[in-house]
Amino acid sequence: MKSVDEKASLSEELMESLKAHTAKIAVVGMGYVGLPMAVEFARVGFDVTGLEVDQRRCKSLCKGESYIADLQNSDILEVIHQGSFHPTSDLNTLRDADVILICVPTPLRKSKDPDLTAILSAGEAIAENLHRGQLIILESTTYPGTTEEILLPMFEEKGVRVGEDFFLAFSPERIDPGNPQFSVKNITKLVGGVTRMCTELSATLYEQIVSKVVRVSSARVAEASKLLENTFRSVNIALMNEMSIICKHLDVDVWDVIDAAATKPFGFLPHYPGPGIGGHCIPLDPHYLSWKARLSGYEPRFIALASEINGAMPHHVVDLVSEALNDSGKAIRGSKVVILGAAYKPNVSDFRESPSMEIMEILIHKGAKLSYCDPYVPEVKVGNDILTAVVANECTISEADCVVVITNHRDFDYEMIVRKSPIVVDTRNATRKFADLGKVYFL
Ligand SMILES: NC(=O)c1ccc[n+]([C@@H]2O[C@H](COP(=O)([O-])OP(=O)(O)OC[C@H]3O[C@@H](n4cnc5c(N)ncnc54)[C@H](O)[C@@H]3O)[C@@H](O)[C@H]2O)c1
């Protein structure tokens, strides 16, 4: 039996080391989420190990090379030279850590069920190296209950008790890659621990680098809140996508309608239509919530409907391209179509789940002579074809029969595009200012 003093001294010791920045931190998964977090902790003097199983990523980090647009090589080099950041693929280093953050991917299976493979393998590696006094925080987006139902038993199986021997919490990551206004430091961080002390220790950790930390009542609340945030976006984007189709039928400009509604100072939060949804979060996360709700006997409807509407948008865009070409007496087959943007959102290189991929695949299937421009994405695989990006210059644009704006990267010269292309299909309202200079079809 451990004495009350012994239990208290473990948490006190950890608390002191968090405040003094002497705790050793390991971040598992050096992706869009884990890497910026690791760099931020290393900057303020914590000793941070960045664990990454992808050897290519690990080698890049060791050389001080960033593969994430929001971080420069100099950001990585700074903390490596400072001696506070150590990238490695050696999971045994977890035994040296006082704090472990899990930032691994949480994809979906083909059946749209959660795929927790990466959380499970990270959890196993942590369990193998678990020791008393460690704080473990899951940051990967997942369904309510993952921290307590999956990770907690894996660790307690080792004969240790949460809140006494080790500490466990969930803290959702809200980073928005490519957003210059918000980064790790100024996005409010939610923390929900399995016990009160778990919450307190986790909150103290983040308070060392984040301007505002909010303690919530449980890990489940923290897990569910992240899914609510992303389901909210998915459903509202779907509503605007449907509104854009309704407006087409009614011959009203949906973008004008949204701008007009957004003048209301309360009760309306503008969302915008687009070619579909992409990235690692919005298309996936709501299905984590559905899956868990279904297990408890409730079939969510909003999530399914939003997924259906958003998922149909790439076909709607192709219909618009077909209509636009048809107006000029052309068919998709044989027409030169230039896609602007492969990434799922502006000014980032991430093209996971990007609707651009599906739009390109359908257009190729329909016989278009297709090329794409994206300064952030040099190459993509579309079906069986490998496509290399071309530059969106006057030559490329003026040779096209139709240019389709899928991603509104800031790098594109929209005035030139409208002037030089015979037809523009714009799914992002990016060319609005120049619409009078050419022939633009808006979503
Ligand atoms: N990308 C975003 O904008 C964003 C925003 C908020 C939350 N999230 C969530 O954060 C989590 C991570 O997302 P991401 O975009 O950073 O993913 P990512 O794919 O960019 O990075 C995850 C990294 O983890 C590595 N990895 C996988 N299993 C590992 C293991 N067992 N040990 C060590 N490394 C391992 C992968 O090789 C990869 O480099 C996901 O749950 C995601 O939903 C992502």
Side-chain angles (χ1 to χ4, degrees), residues 264-372:
K264 188 179 176 185
F266 53 89
F268 183 81
L269 185 61
H271 280 74
Y272 297 94
I277 50 175
H280 183 39
C281 299
I282 313 292
L284 280 66
D285 299 350
H287 294 285
Y288 272 70
L289 191 55
S290 289
W291 180 85
K292 189 64 177 173
R294 213 173 286 129
L295 278 192
S296 67
Y298 180 75
E299 184 65 49
R301 287 165 289 170
F302 261 119
I303 292 172
L305 183 59
S307 171
E308 188 187 320
I309 293 173
N310 292 331
M313 288 311 285
H315 290 273
H316 179 62
V317 172
V318 172
D319 287 349
L320 264 182
V321 173
S322 171
E323 197 183 298
L325 284 167
N326 189 55
D327 286 350
S328 302
K330 291 178 182 169
I332 289 180
R333 183 166 299 283
S335 287
K336 283 188 183 167
V337 179
V338 175
I339 298 289
L340 294 188
Y344 81 96
K345 67 173 185 174
N347 318 320
V348 299
S349 59
D350 192 353
F351 61 96
R352 290 176 292 179
E353 312 290 329
S354 172
S356 195
M357 298 300 120
E358 192 177 349
I359 291 166
M360 288 199 256
E361 191 166 354
I362 306 171
L363 286 168
I364 290 173
H365 185 72
K366 286 184 180 284
K369 291 180 183 159
L370 189 114
S371 55
Y372 86 96

Side-chain angles (χ1 to χ4, degrees), residues 28-33 51-54 57 91 103-106 118 121-122 140-141 173 175 177 226 280-281 285 352:
V28 187
M30 291 284 93
Y32 290 90
V33 164
L51 280 154
E52 176 51 60
V53 288
D54 180 331
R57 283 190 157 186
L91 292 166
C103 305
V104 296
T106 42
S121 78
S140 303
T141 307
E173 183 49 63
I175 200 151
K226 173 71 191 179
H280 183 39
C281 299
D285 299 350
R352 290 176 292 179

Side-chain angles (χ1 to χ4, degrees), residues 189-264:
K189 194 93 173 100
L190 296 182
V191 175
V194 174
T195 67
R196 196 168 287 181
M197 183 50 77
C198 298
T199 306
E200 211 38 53
L201 287 165
S202 308
T204 304
L205 170 76
Y206 291 116
E207 275 162 358
Q208 307 311 309
I209 58 163
V210 179
S211 51
K212 188 169 180 200
V213 177
V214 173
R215 291 142 173 90
V216 301
S217 53
S218 66
R220 271 168 209 272
V221 166
E223 289 162 334
S225 70
K226 173 71 191 179
L227 295 184
L228 170 62
E229 288 166 19
N230 283 355
T231 301
F232 176 86
R233 277 189 60 70
S234 168
V235 167
N236 278 288
I237 293 168
L239 176 63
M240 291 308 131
N241 281 335
E242 183 159 74
M243 189 68 192
S244 79
I245 295 169
I246 296 171
C247 283
K248 256 265 157 306
H249 281 279
L250 304 182
D251 202 19
V252 188
D253 188 310
V254 70
W255 304 95
D256 285 351
V257 173
I258 296 170
D259 284 350
T263 60
K264 188 179 176 185

